[in-house]
Amino acid sequence: MSLFYEVPKMTSVPWNAIISCHGIHGHAEKALKLFREMREERVKPDHVTFVSLLSACSHSGLVEEGQWCFNVMREEYGIEPILKHYGCMVDMFGRAGHLEKAYNFIKDMPVKPDASVWGALLGACRIHGNIDLGAFASERLFEVDSENVGYYVLMSNIYANIGKWEGVDKVRTLARDMGLRKTPGWSSIEANNKVDVFYTGNQSHPKYEEIYKELRNLNAKMKSLGHVPDYSFVLQDVEEDEKEHILMSHSERLAIAFGIISTPPKTPIRIFKNLRVCGDCHNATKYISKITEREIIVRDSNRFHHFKDGVCSCRDYW
């Protein structure tokens, strides 16, 4: 941040960079404050500025502020929204639970919705468990981007979350018949000048016995503090003891345990994950940060999560 105030700021480029950084780290209020400073300095924002602002508002639940940004973009600066702006607005309404408003916003768009717009709606339906609107959004997605396996996975997850396994089988069969394969989840961590990559359920690591021993210890400590596993994030029809093992074997959990046994006590742990962190792992990592007295930083496909003292920087909204 100090470097930002040392460089020339006569164009939107440095402003866009710092606004975007604050957004992906969960500091939407700071991003908005910087935008106000930008306006006071009479630096003209561009379409990138507003994508960053709208994305920041979306990931922090600042719906009114996001609507203000969208209106300012059009009315004060004459910037016509592009599909990225529309996608951010749909995502913002949807994440906040305003699914009907998000759908009506799509219907009122002057341009044809693309996969990013329908994908934002489908993602919101997964968060809030709206199977009917989710099925409608997935049908639109399969029309405009039929080869993106992520959308099939999202719809399958919606069915799985409510235990509708026939729906899960139907979507998975559809994806399989098209030759699509789910992207495997993995997490990486750098420790002792070496990068280790963990896949969900990985047991091939040289230290896997130590890793699983650490996970079992952490599990016991978390339960003593009141943690209850959320089995809705196990997308398989199996018994509860197997569900608990599956959750414990998620790639980010393996990487965190490896970080704990491989680094000095109380030092930060930094994880990179290729997919969105699951809700149960997010909750578990809060407990682990408190138990181990460590800061745990997880960069998933959406944003950075800073876990410390049992709290995440995203405030459980991501």
Side-chain angles (χ1 to χ4, degrees):
M1 189 69 185
S2 58
L3 179 62
F4 168 73
Y5 287 108
E6 294 175 8
V7 302
K9 299 182 289 295
M10 302 303 293
T11 69
S12 64
V13 175
W15 293 95
N16 291 348
I18 196 69
I19 288 171
S20 176
C21 286
H22 276 88
I24 63 174
H25 283 274
H27 306 305
E29 292 88 353
K30 291 182 180 178
L32 289 164
K33 183 176 180 294
L34 283 161
F35 177 57
R36 295 187 181 96
E37 289 183 25
M38 183 181 184
R39 281 158 61 87
E40 290 171 3
E41 296 288 332
R42 299 190 181 279
V43 178
K44 186 177 181 181
D46 55 24
H47 72 281
V48 176
T49 313
F50 288 102
V51 169
S52 298
L53 285 167
L54 292 172
S55 178
C57 291
S58 172
H59 285 276
S60 296
L62 303 182
V63 176
E64 290 184 9
E65 292 85 346
Q67 289 177 290
W68 173 77
C69 289
F70 191 75
N71 292 333
V72 165
M73 175 181 69
R74 293 185 302 172
E75 296 170 7
E76 292 191 27
Y77 294 102
I79 299 174
E80 283 301 313
I82 59 176
L83 284 166
K84 285 185 177 180
H85 299 119
Y86 288 120
C88 286
M89 291 296 288
V90 172
D91 191 57
M92 182 182 71
F93 289 134
R95 284 179 188 274
H98 307 312
L99 296 178
E100 185 176 351
K101 194 168 188 176
Y103 177 55
N104 289 333
F105 184 87
I106 294 174
K107 290 196 295 183
D108 292 338
M109 284 170 47
V111 294
K112 185 178 180 180
D114 68 351
S116 68
V117 174
W118 288 118
L121 183 62
L122 180 59
C125 290
R126 182 197 60 77
I127 293 170
H128 298 288
N130 190 319
I131 192 168
D132 293 329
L133 187 56
F136 177 81
S138 68
E139 289 173 5
R140 305 289 81 74
L141 275 167
F142 299 159
E143 291 173 1
V144 297
D145 191 5
S146 62
E147 297 186 358
N148 189 325
V149 69
Y151 303 137
Y152 295 84
V153 173
L154 267 179
M155 192 62 223
S156 174
N157 291 356
I158 293 174
Y159 284 124
N161 284 344
I162 61 171
K164 196 170 182 179
W165 300 109
E166 64 274 16
V168 173
D169 292 338
K170 180 180 178 181
V171 175
R172 289 179 178 175
T173 299
L174 182 60
R176 188 167 54 249
D177 290 346
M178 295 187 65
L180 304 177
R181 296 184 63 185
K182 179 183 176 181
T183 303
W186 57 263
S187 298
S188 66
I189 178 173
E190 183 175 352
N192 304 317
N193 299 315
K194 180 176 177 291
V195 176
D196 284 80
V197 179
F198 295 88
Y199 288 85
T200 296
N202 188 309
Q203 295 187 3
S204 62
H205 194 276
K207 291 189 175 182
Y208 89 89
E209 289 185 358
E210 296 174 58
I211 291 169
Y212 278 93
K213 180 181 178 181
E214 180 65 26
L215 284 170
R216 286 191 291 270
N217 289 337
L218 288 170
N219 245 19
K221 291 177 181 178
M222 286 191 293
K223 286 183 178 179
S224 71
L225 293 176
H227 173 62
V228 178
D230 187 347
Y231 295 139
S232 69
F233 291 96
V234 178
L235 307 175
Q236 301 172 39
D237 189 11
V238 295
E239 298 298 324
E240 283 201 0
D241 58 341
E242 180 64 16
K243 289 181 179 180
E244 185 169 359
H245 178 73
I246 290 171
L247 288 173
M248 191 175 70
S249 302
H250 279 187
S251 66
E252 57 265 56
R253 211 86 65 100
L254 297 174
I256 290 169
F258 174 74
I260 291 171
I261 66 174
S262 303
T263 58
K266 299 186 180 181
T267 57
I269 295 174
R270 293 176 174 84
I271 307 292
F272 180 87
K273 180 174 172 60
N274 69 323
L275 303 176
R276 183 181 186 270
V277 63
C278 95
D280 185 74
C281 286
H282 188 274
N283 196 29
T285 306
K286 290 192 296 181
Y287 279 95
I288 293 171
S289 72
K290 185 174 183 178
I291 292 166
T292 61
E293 298 181 5
R294 291 177 184 251
E295 181 179 12
I296 303 173
I297 303 156
V298 180
R299 172 63 162 109
D300 72 1
S301 60
N302 284 339
R303 65 188 298 166
F304 284 88
H305 297 265
H306 297 258
F307 299 90
K308 191 174 182 179
D309 299 325
V311 177
C312 180
S313 59
C314 76
R315 293 167 293 182
D316 300 339
Y317 193 101
W318 82 100

